Amino acid sequence: MRSTIYTFLFLAISWAGYSQNILQDNLQWNSVKASDNLNHGDIVYTCSFRTNADQSVDWVQSGRSYHYTVTSTSGTWTSVTEDGEVTYQVSAGSALTGSFTFSRSGGSITIHLKTRTDGVTDLDLLFSISDVQVQ
């Protein structure tokens, strides 16, 4: 019985100390709301984003998935449970480029997505993130 209690305490302490590093871990970010900065409005928008360490981002919405390849990163964020920010520069095909800025400040987590097709801005969305999960 005593060894069971010690095992449980060890696991609880280990789990509490686990950090989720956006540049190293595969994470899922869930959103239920977004602000459209181009059209100046808030929208109810259920979707998720999957970051595959510093390699790619998948934007999953209504049964569709959009894949972006990470071309470079800036920032360091070793634990998404603490404040921080990382920006991924991305591309999808030859014409689409953009950025995903993942950040946490004062307990609020957001993803700012900006894309350009042939050099013209076509998306500028700020997503409010409800939770982050390790994949």
Side-chain angles (χ1 to χ4, degrees):
M1 178 68 169
R2 185 175 278 197
S3 66
T4 303
I5 292 171
Y6 288 130
T7 301
F8 175 76
L9 288 173
F10 173 76
L11 291 173
I13 291 168
S14 297
W15 181 255
Y18 178 73
S19 65
Q20 299 165 344
N21 184 331
I22 186 173
L23 296 173
Q24 296 176 353
D25 297 321
N26 295 337
L27 304 173
Q28 179 171 313
W29 311 71
N30 299 308
S31 174
V32 294
K33 179 181 137 187
S35 296
D36 184 340
N37 293 331
L38 292 178
N39 298 311
H40 309 290
D42 290 339
I43 50 177
V44 175
Y45 200 86
T46 303
C47 66
S48 63
F49 298 88
R50 293 188 189 127
T51 52
N52 304 299
D54 62 356
Q55 300 299 304
S56 64
V57 178
D58 295 309
W59 180 14
V60 181
Q61 52 181 317
S62 302
R64 289 184 277 171
S65 181
Y66 300 92
H67 182 77
Y68 300 87
T69 301
V70 175
T71 57
S72 67
T73 64
S74 61
T76 302
W77 191 9
T78 58
S79 177
V80 298
T81 61
E82 298 173 7
D83 287 356
E85 180 175 290
V86 166
T87 298
Y88 289 157
Q89 296 299 321
V90 297
S91 66
S94 60
L96 190 139
T97 60
S99 64
F100 286 90
T101 300
F102 296 82
S103 63
R104 179 184 185 113
S105 177
S108 296
I109 303 172
T110 59
I111 298 174
H112 190 179
L113 168 62
K114 293 171 119 179
T115 62
R116 294 170 299 287
T117 301
D118 293 323
V120 177
T121 300
D122 53 5
L123 285 178
D124 187 350
L125 300 170
L126 183 65
F127 295 89
S128 298
I129 302 303
S130 57
D131 66 294
V132 181
Q133 303 166 348
V134 176
Q135 294 297 295

